[in-house]
Amino acid sequence: MTTANNRKRCFTCSRENNTYTCEGCSKRFCSIHIPEHHQKLNEELNHIIDDYNKFKQTINEQKQSPHDLSLVNQIDQWERNSIAKIQQKAQDYREIVIKSSQTFLNDIGIKFNELSEQLQRLQKENDFNEINLNYLRNQLGEMARELNNPSNISIQQGSQSFINDISIILPKKLKFNRWKQNAITVAGGNGRGQKLNQVIGPEGIFIDKKKNILIADYYNHRIVEWKYNAKEGQIIAGGNGRGNRMNQLNYPTDMIVDQQNHSIIIADFENSRVIQWLNQNQQILIKNISCSGLAMDKNGFLYVSDCSNNEVRRWRMGEYNNEGIVVAGGNEEGNLLNQFNCPGFIFVDEDQSVYVSDQENHRVMKWRKGAKEGIIVAGGNGEGKNLNQLSNPQGLIVDDLGQVYVADCDNHRIMCWCKGKEEGEVVVGGNGEGNRSNQLNHPTGLSFDDEGNFYIVDAGNDRIKKFEIIL
């Protein structure tokens, strides 16, 4: 803590003996007073330790007696005041009902006495007929009904509360991550073409744990993989021209990687099939389906969106010799909550809820497991560029908080819709159609890597952009 220095004045006694500089306060002390300074520092440290111990005790006490918290006390007081107000109101109404009931019974009694006198007079005079008897009988029945169901007394509940309502306002949490708005190109970006450093109108994308990028190279009828920081990609499926042979693809739109066997499952759109590639060996999994988007849940079920039939079906892995199960849509084309109009990209969460880009309805729908209809979680307010609208939504991702990230394709932006919100927020893009580093041109596929960096398929610019996360 100290360093030796000759012939400098001591801060305490001003003597010019050998002094020492305290690195904390930069003051000099002689050999006599440096221990005193140390002692004062020790005393201050002990005071701080005492304060820390007291604060720790306070925390422990509040943990043991959470009802003593000031906010809880305020709620308790509100409860007592509300109960007292209810009790007073109830007592007032009881008195009104009792008083009104007594008045009612008195009126009934007067009417009853009058009829009784008529009855006694008829009986005494012995001058009556059927008309008199029916009249007396009907009057007695009316009085009995009125006594059992008094028409002038009822209870009506108002819609406005006379108790002051309270609510709990919690501190706001960070809704979603932020990314640098100027992206870097990590694949493509070298013009349109069939070279290994080029792509044409890419669609779906997949990022593996090594940050390798798999791309559905739509107009080149192939799946290409760009290794991390590579200058060009390599063909891992298709690439043999457009066609329907087993080694060919025809406008692939999406693909996923089966983690169990590391095979690639591809939505071979124009061939109306879902095909699996494993080490250059191909197998058709599903035939005769206008497949647009693919997803796989944690249990290995495969989900496929069918644009022509406006539905999403699910298959158990390895059991593709059946028609699968409809888990969303399947009620013809339309814009009702149980319908789609050309479903595209899909996402399945931990609860097996299915999120669907309902392209021509310009909305994103969520279908809970077993639901008969979906709910709108993004868009759904007509086609447009307002924050509560989408225009031809494409790729989508849903995070653990239920926040929906969607490629708002024709608005050239990526939106985030927080759970329960009526409008979204632009997270990247949104600077008009273009090819600058902060612009997008008809984005389609979306993906995150393990670090939270955002990868966007910038389809109109024939490139993949990486927006780095701001830590």
Side-chain angles (χ1 to χ4, degrees), residues 259-319:
Q259 301 294 344
Q260 294 183 350
N261 57 17
H262 303 289
S263 65
I264 303 171
I265 300 174
I266 305 167
D268 193 8
F269 180 68
E270 287 294 338
N271 281 329
S272 299
R273 66 188 183 185
V274 177
I275 188 169
Q276 182 181 49
W277 283 60
L278 177 60
N279 298 325
Q280 296 302 314
N281 295 315
Q282 302 87 34
Q283 177 187 1
I284 297 176
L285 303 182
I286 305 169
K287 299 179 180 179
N288 301 319
I289 183 169
S290 182
C291 49
S292 296
L294 302 175
M296 185 177 291
D297 67 20
K298 62 181 180 181
N299 299 316
F301 286 94
L302 178 64
Y303 298 73
V304 185
S305 63
D306 186 338
C307 185
S308 295
N309 291 317
N310 293 290
E311 64 187 16
V312 178
R313 288 182 177 266
R314 183 185 72 192
W315 281 264
R316 184 185 297 275
M317 184 61 67
E319 298 180 5

Side-chain angles (χ1 to χ4, degrees), residues 321-340:
N321 55 351
N322 54 57
E323 295 182 352
I325 300 173
V326 176
V327 295
N331 298 295
E332 299 182 346
E333 177 184 315
N335 61 4
L336 301 178
L337 292 180
N338 66 343
Q339 295 178 310
F340 293 124

